[in-house]
Amino acid sequence: MNLFHYYVVFSKAILFISGLIFSYKLVDLTLFSILITHLTQWKQYTLPKAVLIVNLQEGAYAILQLLFVFLADTYTGHFMIVMCSTPSYTIGLLLCCVAARYDLISIFYAGLVIITFSKAALQVTLGAFLDDQLLRAEENAGVTTTTEENAERAYARSNFWQVLVTILAVVVAIAVSSKIRSFVTLTIILTTLMGVAFCWFLLGIKLYSRNGPTGSDLLLDIVHVIFTAAVIPKNVGSYPHENMQMIPPYVPWLRWLDKAAMVVTQDQAESKRSDNNTTCTVEQVKRVKSLLMMLPMWTTFLTYSLVSALGSTFFLEQVIYINASASTPILFNILRIFTKSVVAVTSNYILEKLQVVRHQKSSMLVRIGIGMLFCVFCCLTACINARHYTTIFRLIPQFILLGVMEGLSTNGLENLFNSQVSQSTTRYGPPFEECVQGTGKLLNIVCVLILTKWHIWIKDDISTSQLDRYYAMLAISSSLNMLIYCFVAYWYCDAEFLPDGCEVDIEMEIETSQETTSSSSENQDNPLMSSGAQSFLSRSSSGIQRRVNSLQRQ
């Protein structure tokens, strides 16, 4: 009973927001998650052209999520973006409907662009807006727990409602797709539903908690720190890390960013009081370095993203080629999503119960590596199936393996990101990971263009294409990528981080060390200073320096 009360809470705001979430999920399941099956039904689109459009749309959608997270946190808040993006989403659907009805390709592209922007905005703000409402409900209820516990409970309850609404959307999507085969009819229904859901959302506008922007400026910090470290002259202040690395994480190839956090003397600070933006704080540099340290890990996901892109392109085309039923691609897509969710939840539970705290990072890296291995298995299975189009059930293993791959690697990457960055940066984890995978899908466009131009493997339709060879190439690429990942993971295990609970005011340590060292050197030249006092200052300076060195070793 306590577990039920922990996850389940009722409020009027949830009722109005859930309608908008339901319509958004339904449109995604019946239209955009299987967009390629709709495009190839038009005579204007060959298989390569349809794949290019889908990859371009998914890549742009993934990269734009990072932009809208930044806008919501820094300038607008969640409510304003939801209010602006929902009507534009509806307009985009309407344009696609008109384009399909009258075969207007330019109108379809315009509608798809609008939908891509709006969908990215709703993806990162709609769930977060529901989180805000549940968190306010926790605060209004007078709960005596800490703010972090309230936020954790609100997030768990928000996930419960989103999962419940998603399940309902899945059932409706299967029922709708089994009855409606026309793309025009489908878009008319979805456009009407989205408009009604928005009107329903507006009815509860007085109930919503409209939290303003949080003021997070992570992306600005990245630009500021990198620009400052690249152009700032070394004589502005004294660079505190000539012979040692002080600002964690202690990574040699990121050490150049340390000079963005300059340490200046009192006289220099007074003379540059009007130029406060020429330097960065230690905390800013530390956040940026922790984020940039994920770059080697993210690059190993580019090949992974090429395989992940198969789930929304060639795999679905294989399904349609064997079974022309409109609901079949939706069922296979749901199978992949369900497998991914089950694997993610199960692996999280197992690691939570079995892992030792000091081996937590190693467990995450192993989990990602196993997902990379399933990436190879998925390509090999798809390669075998592509040679024998006999029955629709032969395609089930490759969709399951794709879901296992995504559940292990994608979720593992998110957990690894959250464990290595500050608490204020964790909400940027999913958008950054989506951005990496979106870059991989854009890279897939290059592969398809090359293969199409050379007239090998990928032809105008699925029956004349040699997808088995394309899958074999991806299997080889994934195998090589896994070897690269092993080297990156080995390096990542050896990388040093500032341990939790050992936060130290490094700036104060550095300044104190410099002031004491400076004072010691000045007093040693002072003939009025006794040898005992000089020895005391020297020992104090050495002690502080040893303290600074110990921070580096940690």
Side-chain angles (χ1 to χ4, degrees):
M1 195 64 176
N2 291 334
L3 188 64
F4 176 81
H5 286 297
Y6 182 85
Y7 285 100
V8 181
V9 65
F10 298 97
S11 70
K12 295 180 180 179
I14 293 177
L15 185 63
F16 290 105
I17 299 174
S18 296
L20 195 57
I21 296 176
F22 169 78
S23 60
Y24 170 78
K25 295 289 185 182
L26 184 62
V27 172
D28 186 57
L29 286 170
T30 58
L31 192 59
F32 292 106
S33 63
I34 59 169
L35 179 61
I36 191 169
T37 63
H38 296 296
L39 292 179
T40 51
Q41 291 178 2
W42 291 8
K43 295 180 180 180
Q44 294 90 336
Y45 293 101
T46 60
L47 177 62
K49 189 175 182 180
V51 171
L52 294 179
I53 292 175
V54 171
N55 284 152
L56 182 60
Q57 189 269 333
E58 290 182 340
Y61 157 74
I63 294 173
L64 286 171
Q65 290 184 39
L66 187 61
L67 172 64
F68 284 107
V69 169
F70 171 70
L71 290 177
D73 286 350
T74 309
Y75 298 107
T76 63
H78 299 136
F79 176 75
M80 186 59 65
I81 291 185
V82 172
M83 285 292 294
C84 295
S85 57
T86 306
S88 62
Y89 196 74
T90 308
I91 293 173
L93 287 173
L94 182 60
L95 291 178
C96 290
C97 176
V98 173
R101 176 66 180 84
Y102 298 103
D103 288 332
L104 302 174
I105 301 300
S106 58
I107 299 298
F108 174 75
Y109 289 152
L112 194 60
V113 169
I114 294 174
I115 288 173
T116 302
F117 275 82
S118 304
K119 183 183 176 184
L122 287 174
Q123 175 66 26
V124 297
T125 57
L126 195 53
F129 182 65
L130 180 59
D131 294 347
D132 295 340
Q133 312 313 308
L134 292 171
L135 183 58
R136 189 188 71 166
E138 289 287 325
E139 295 172 351
N140 293 341
V143 181
T144 57
T145 54
T146 63
T147 303
E148 291 184 0
E149 290 174 337
N150 290 343
E152 183 179 351
R153 183 164 47 246
Y155 180 73
R157 290 174 172 178
S158 175
N159 280 343
F160 169 81
W161 281 106
Q162 291 185 62
V163 169
L164 188 64
V165 172
T166 302
I167 293 174
L168 180 61
V170 166
V171 174
V172 176
I174 296 173
V176 169
S177 60
S178 63
K179 301 294 184 182
I180 301 174
R181 299 182 60 87
S182 171
F183 182 79
V184 176
T185 306
L186 180 62
T187 50
I188 291 175
I189 294 175
L190 294 178
T191 303
T192 305
L193 177 64
M194 202 72 191
V196 171
F198 182 61
C199 293
W200 175 252
F201 175 80
L202 292 178
L203 292 178
I205 196 169
K206 294 183 179 180
L207 304 172
Y208 303 143
S209 172
R210 308 177 194 177
N211 295 343
T214 60
S216 174
D217 53 357
L218 179 62
L219 297 185
L220 294 179
D221 282 352
I222 296 173
V223 176
H224 186 201
V225 169
I226 293 177
F227 177 79
T228 303
V231 303
I232 193 169
K234 288 188 176 181
N235 59 2
V236 172
S238 56
Y239 178 50
H241 315 300
E242 294 294 339
N243 299 316
M244 58 185 175
Q245 300 161 344
M246 289 301 308
I247 301 180
Y250 309 113
V251 184
W253 56 275
L254 290 178
R255 184 182 177 185
W256 65 280
L257 293 175
D258 291 357
K259 66 181 180 180
M262 301 296 294
V263 177
V264 297
T265 63
Q266 184 65 29
D267 294 338
Q268 290 171 330
E270 290 294 334
S271 63
K272 295 186 176 295
R273 187 177 299 275
S274 61
D275 193 20
N276 292 330
N277 291 328
T278 59
T279 60
C280 309
T281 65
V282 169
E283 183 61 30
Q284 282 179 305
V285 175
K286 184 162 63 173
R287 286 205 306 167
V288 171
K289 288 180 68 177
S290 296
L291 185 64
L292 293 181
M293 190 171 176
M294 294 295 297
L295 282 175
M297 181 64 64
W298 283 335
T299 55
T300 62
F301 274 74
L302 293 178
T303 304
Y304 164 92
S305 300
L306 295 178
V307 179
S308 179
L310 298 175
S312 58
T313 53
F314 294 113
F315 282 8
L316 292 178
E317 276 301 294
Q318 288 178 272
V319 172
I320 283 293
Y321 178 74
I322 299 175
N323 189 324
S325 174
S327 60
T328 308
I330 296 178
L331 289 173
F332 275 83
N333 186 57
I334 291 172
L335 174 63
R336 177 184 63 84
I337 296 173
F338 177 76
T339 305
K340 175 183 176 180
S341 302
V342 170
V343 170
V345 172
T346 304
S347 56
N348 282 337
Y349 178 79
I350 293 175
L351 289 178
E352 182 181 353
K353 293 298 181 182
L354 298 181
Q355 71 184 7
V356 182
V357 174
R358 58 180 178 158
H359 298 313
Q360 182 177 9
K361 184 165 65 175
S362 300
S363 301
M364 294 176 184
L365 293 172
V366 170
R367 175 183 178 178
I368 296 173
I370 295 174
M372 296 287 186
L373 183 61
F374 274 93
C375 182
V376 179
F377 293 157
C378 179
C379 293
L380 291 176
T381 304
C383 177
I384 296 172
N385 289 336
R387 297 174 181 174
H388 306 284
Y389 290 110
T390 55
T391 173
I392 193 70
F393 297 104
R394 288 185 63 95
L395 301 181
I396 292 178
Q398 65 192 57
F399 278 89
I400 292 178
L401 289 172
L402 188 64
V404 173
M405 175 193 86
E406 293 175 340
L408 289 172
S409 292
T410 305
N411 196 260
L413 179 63
E414 181 178 347
N415 291 341
L416 181 65
F417 178 89
N418 293 340
S419 68
Q420 304 304 335
V421 299
S422 62
Q423 185 66 29
S424 61
T425 312
T426 54
R427 65 178 175 274
Y428 282 92
F432 269 113
E433 289 144 25
E434 287 286 341
C435 184
V436 172
Q437 295 192 49
T439 304
K441 291 180 179 180
L442 295 179
L443 182 62
N444 191 50
I445 294 177
V446 179
C447 296
V448 174
L449 283 175
I450 293 174
L451 295 177
T452 304
K453 185 176 181 180
W454 290 350
H455 302 286
I456 58 174
W457 301 349
I458 300 177
K459 303 298 177 61
D460 288 346
D461 54 65
I462 199 76
S463 60
T464 57
S465 299
Q466 296 175 307
L467 292 182
D468 56 330
R469 299 187 179 183
Y470 181 63
Y471 295 154
M473 182 196 73
L474 290 180
I476 296 173
S477 301
S478 300
S479 301
L480 296 176
N481 181 68
M482 187 173 178
L483 295 177
I484 297 174
Y485 170 79
C486 290
F487 285 108
V488 172
Y490 177 79
W491 169 81
Y492 209 78
C493 282
D494 289 342
E496 293 181 281
F497 290 84
L498 188 65
D500 294 338
C502 296
E503 297 292 338
V504 181
D505 189 349
I506 302 174
E507 262 184 327
M508 184 179 297
E509 294 276 358
I510 296 170
E511 290 177 0
T512 305
S513 175
Q514 286 198 327
E515 290 174 2
T516 306
T517 303
S518 175
S519 175
S520 175
S521 61
E522 291 176 0
N523 289 327
Q524 284 177 356
D525 296 334
N526 187 354
L528 299 179
M529 179 68 65
S530 66
S531 60
Q534 292 179 13
S535 176
F536 173 77
L537 287 175
S538 178
R539 289 195 304 272
S540 300
S541 175
S542 300
I544 294 176
Q545 190 63 52
R546 285 195 301 272
R547 170 59 179 155
V548 175
N549 288 333
S550 69
L551 289 176
Q552 178 194 5
R553 289 193 297 273
Q554 291 177 357

